[in-house]
Amino acid sequence: MGFVALEGVGKVFQGRTGSWEAVRDFTISLEEGEFFCLLGTSGCGKTTVLNMLAGFEAPTSGRILLDGKPVTGPGADRGVVFQGHDSLYDWLTALDNIGFGLRLRGLPRSERRATAERFLKMVGLTGQGAKHPSELSGGMKQRIQIARALANDPRILLMDEPFGALDAMTRAVLQAELSRIWAETKKTVLFITHDIEEACALATRVGVMKRGPGGTLKAVVPVDLPFPRERTSDGFMRVFREVHALIHEEIHGGH
Ligand SMILES: Nc1ncnc2c1ncn2[C@@H]1O[C@H](COP(=O)(O)OP(=O)(O)O)[C@@H](O)[C@H]1O
Ligand SMILES: [Mg+2]
């Protein structure tokens, strides 16, 4: 069994107008240290899968195991990075945002500070720790979110389209940074995106989802290319085309 296991996981939401099957029979096993990108069209159930692994939502069928133990709710062993940056605390400095989880765990101030400074440096923001979120650019805020998640030393990083709201150039810079941080920390990452190129640039494996209702895993494409990825290389183009063909069917209705 893998480090993370989703076994026949399903989610049916009950709404006022009836029920909606967001995810159906989703099965995947992740190895420790891998960078798994979950790719799919809008509304296919990506966030629902991540929320269930994060423990924010309970599956309505199947089960989720982390290191052999069932996930029953949120926990410090999973660090979450969201697309929007409104999850940062406006009233705290960047450094205090990074150290927030450490404060909850009761670590002494000096230790919190040292750890927060270390992760501030890791995300390339040394010297910017005294700023508040409102004084930071979108890219900087996403760096702070990543640092905050890592500061708690989670076993897995769950990232839901973290660069989706950034301009193309900032996005490319942050992708490269994340790739470096992943190599440095050897964290297991589940990264959600709807951007094929982003998935091919970052992942050790790309999981392509089928569109909903009943969104599920349609195929898993291994990306056996060295890092940093050369996006104009023949190898990259080959993987891109393979993934593109799988997604294309979901956009244009083929089966
Ligand atoms: N809390 C909810 N209640 C009802 N339906 C939901 C809820 N959350 C998501 N859905 C529905 O489930 C489907 C999958 O949503 P989501 O996981 O957010 O997709 P994605 O992240 O791939 O865009 C969508 O059709 C969405 O409307
Ligand atoms: Mg989503």
Side-chain angles (χ1 to χ4, degrees), residues 60-88:
T60 45
S61 55
R63 59 176 195 159
I64 301 178
L65 303 171
L66 180 63
D67 207 9
K69 289 181 279 296
V71 165
T72 54
D77 52 359
R78 284 148 287 152
V80 185
V81 176
F82 302 94
Q83 172 173 357
H85 16 72
D86 35 349
S87 81
L88 291 176

Side-chain angles (χ1 to χ4, degrees), residues 6 9-11 13 20-24 26 28 30 36-57 64 80-83 157-164 190-196 198-199 206-219 243 247 250-251:
L6 283 83
V9 170
K11 179 72 181 180
F13 288 107
W20 178 264
E21 187 185 25
V23 175
R24 179 191 305 164
F26 191 105
I28 187 72
L30 306 186
F36 191 90
C37 276
L38 190 56
L39 178 77
T41 54
S42 178
C44 75
K46 302 181 294 298
T47 295
T48 304
V49 169
L50 181 135
N51 282 345
M52 289 190 285
L53 181 50
F56 300 149
E57 298 271 7
I64 301 178
V80 185
V81 176
F82 302 94
Q83 172 173 357
L157 211 49
L158 307 176
M159 311 183 81
D160 193 356
E161 308 208 27
F163 307 146
L190 173 67
F191 184 104
I192 285 178
T193 183
H194 62 257
D195 182 327
I196 303 169
E198 179 166 74
V206 178
V208 180
M209 279 185 79
K210 206 165 140 21
R211 69 177 185 277
T216 195
L217 200 55
K218 166 179 169 151
V243 174
I247 275 289
E250 296 313 307
I251 299 169

Side-chain angles (χ1 to χ4, degrees), residues 92-96 113 117 120 125 127-133 135-136:
L92 294 179
T93 64
L95 203 63
D96 287 341
R113 225 188 147 72
E117 288 282 6
L120 191 70
L125 290 180
Q128 313 269 5
K131 290 184 180 171
H132 284 76
E135 300 168 294
L136 301 171

